[in-house]
Amino acid sequence: MSGYHSPQVDVPVRLNTNESPFPPPTDWVKSIGAIAESIDWNRYPDRAATELCEAIARRHGVAPEQVFVANGSNEVIQTILLAYGGHGRIVATFEPTYQMYAQIAHVTGAEVVEGERRADLTLDPIEIERVVARHQPAVTFLCNPNNPTGLVEPRENLEALLEVASGIVVVDEAYAEFSDWSAMELVSEDKPIAVTRTFSKTLSMAALRVGYVVGPTWLINDLRIAALPYHLDSFKQAATIAALQYTKEMEERVEFIKAQRARLEAEMRSLDLEVWTSGSNFVLFRSSAHDAKTLWSAVLAQGVLVRDCSSWPRLEGCLRVTVGTESENTAFLAALRASLPA
Ligand code: PMP
């Protein structure tokens, strides 16, 4: 196996990993010292992260027993696959999608089956039914909105999947705040659905490494069995509880990102690029007239790093740009314009 890599280059404008372009609220950053001083450092953390689960549960109007928190949503996904993947089990994805589902599933020894999308990268519910009926996956992943396409998954597709699902359905909502609907409302005790979220994107705290999942109590209990004891340190629990006071402020930034996304999409279309309409904080695009690697290098030479997806299966010719600050987006558009010979 090879690992998952997101190449980093030291450039002035980094629009390659879908982070928030803004730092977290200053008041939260200033409170970090006092939070650190309040920790009983000689004691193990609250293993169940009780207070944090309560705070997250309040945010979504669910019970604390329906919440499991881990070190980023990647660790949430890993814990789900430790509980429900593994040797002899099948994990289903619909490609192209976030690569860590297959990567972690393989690490646990599970077999991965890949459902296909249409040529325009949307997903046909008939394909969902085919994959589930044929393979009876223990875990099926849907990413809403999908990374790397940015496309919002229609609610009907998730409903079709829940109708036929043989195992757990994981809806990865790392980018949900930028979309017009969320599967969170479908979570209930009698459905095998788990919805994952992260503090890394809208909440501007990728460095803190916090993600969580909301699902039925029995599923959350299984995750608690699979997780290591004390996997979530005391400081992180307290810092995340404090961060939850600022969610309103963070969510106000979503409107700004969405307006900048519309600007990027419109300007890229005016440059004759193929652009997938995004419900996320990034945009996938392709030039029919220019080689993707040449274009990526030309944009990079002007100090702007985007993600080169062109070697990924089914994404020939594609690049992906994260929505940045207004000036970062201006720099990207200028670099792009200069890199597309007339
Ligand atoms: N899911 C998706 C779809 C993502 O794009 C990412 C980050 N690139 C993650 C999960 C992981 O996020 P984190 O571990 O930072 O919460």
Side-chain angles (χ1 to χ4, degrees):
M1 287 182 71
S2 58
Y4 174 81
H5 300 290
S6 179
Q8 293 297 346
V9 186
D10 196 11
V11 286
V13 180
R14 272 172 41 188
L15 301 175
N16 63 328
T17 45
N18 304 341
E19 294 144 323
S20 169
F22 306 112
T26 317
D27 284 351
W28 178 75
V29 177
K30 281 192 190 147
S31 71
I32 294 293
I35 293 170
E37 279 174 28
S38 74
I39 302 296
D40 283 336
W41 288 102
N42 54 320
R43 300 291 174 193
Y44 280 111
D46 171 8
R47 192 172 161 174
T50 316
E51 219 184 305
L52 177 54
C53 288
E54 284 167 1
I56 290 172
R58 273 196 298 279
R59 177 162 152 81
H60 294 292
V62 298
E65 299 74 31
Q66 294 178 310
V67 179
F68 171 80
V69 190
N71 296 285
S73 50
N74 279 337
E75 195 183 51
V76 171
I77 295 164
Q78 183 185 54
T79 310
I80 292 170
L81 288 168
L82 286 173
Y84 297 108
H87 181 69
R89 305 236 177 102
I90 290 178
V91 173
T93 62
F94 295 94
E95 300 295 331
T97 192
Y98 185 46
Q99 296 174 348
M100 288 308 291
Y101 311 143
Q103 171 83 12
I104 301 172
H106 281 136
V107 168
T108 71
E111 184 188 336
V112 177
V113 297
E114 297 183 337
E116 295 293 331
R117 289 169 188 267
R118 301 179 179 107
D120 66 0
L121 302 180
T122 60
L123 181 55
D124 186 341
I126 293 172
E127 173 68 353
I128 295 177
E129 284 157 23
R130 183 193 71 79
V131 168
V132 174
R134 171 129 184 238
H135 299 284
Q136 299 288 299
V139 186
T140 304
F141 283 96
L142 262 196
C143 190
N144 177 48
N146 188 34
N147 182 10
T149 64
L151 295 173
V152 175
E153 207 56 70
R155 190 186 164 115
E156 301 78 68
N157 280 5
L158 178 57
E159 281 167 351
L161 175 54
L162 286 171
E163 198 66 26
V164 294
S166 54
I168 305 298
V169 172
V170 180
V171 186
D172 180 343
E173 293 204 334
Y175 304 97
E177 293 89 348
F178 305 102
S179 162
D180 51 9
W181 85 281
S182 162
M184 198 61 90
E185 62 202 66
L186 295 177
V187 171
S188 77
E189 285 298 307
D190 58 2
K191 287 200 202 87
I193 177 178
V195 178
T196 65
R197 292 284 183 99
T198 180
F199 277 69
S200 302
K201 313 293 177 182
T202 303
L203 298 172
S204 291
M205 293 172 192
L208 189 63
R209 310 303 301 127
V210 188
Y212 59 93
V213 57
V214 177
T217 311
W218 53 266
L219 187 150
I220 299 299
N221 286 342
D222 286 347
L223 303 188
R224 293 194 200 285
I225 293 168
L228 289 174
Y230 313 115
H231 69 290
L232 211 60
D233 69 74
S234 300
F235 173 78
K236 179 174 299 188
Q237 293 185 34
T240 308
I241 291 166
L244 283 167
Q245 290 169 30
Y246 300 96
T247 48
K248 211 162 175 293
E249 188 176 333
M250 311 303 282
E251 278 157 6
E252 275 162 20
R253 298 169 170 187
V254 168
E255 291 313 311
F256 173 84
I257 298 284
K258 282 161 100 175
Q260 287 293 313
R261 178 181 77 197
R263 171 190 172 209
L264 286 180
E265 288 177 346
E267 297 220 18
M268 283 194 277
R269 285 195 174 111
S270 76
L271 293 171
D272 274 346
L273 295 168
E274 185 182 357
V275 174
W276 279 266
T277 300
S278 173
S280 196
N281 69 339
F282 55 86
V283 182
L284 187 74
F285 64 99
R286 170 157 62 194
S287 165
S288 52
H290 303 88
D291 171 64
K293 286 207 184 322
T294 312
L295 186 57
W296 180 82
S297 303
V299 170
L300 182 63
Q302 293 165 82
V304 182
L305 176 63
V306 298
R307 194 73 183 263
D308 178 7
C309 311
S310 63
S311 62
W312 301 0
R314 307 164 186 87
L315 289 174
E316 203 182 318
C318 289
L319 302 178
R320 190 194 69 192
V321 60
T322 304
V323 181
T325 60
E326 190 165 0
S327 61
E328 285 174 331
N329 299 332
T330 302
F332 163 69
L333 288 168
L336 191 59
R337 237 175 256 119
S339 308
L340 294 169

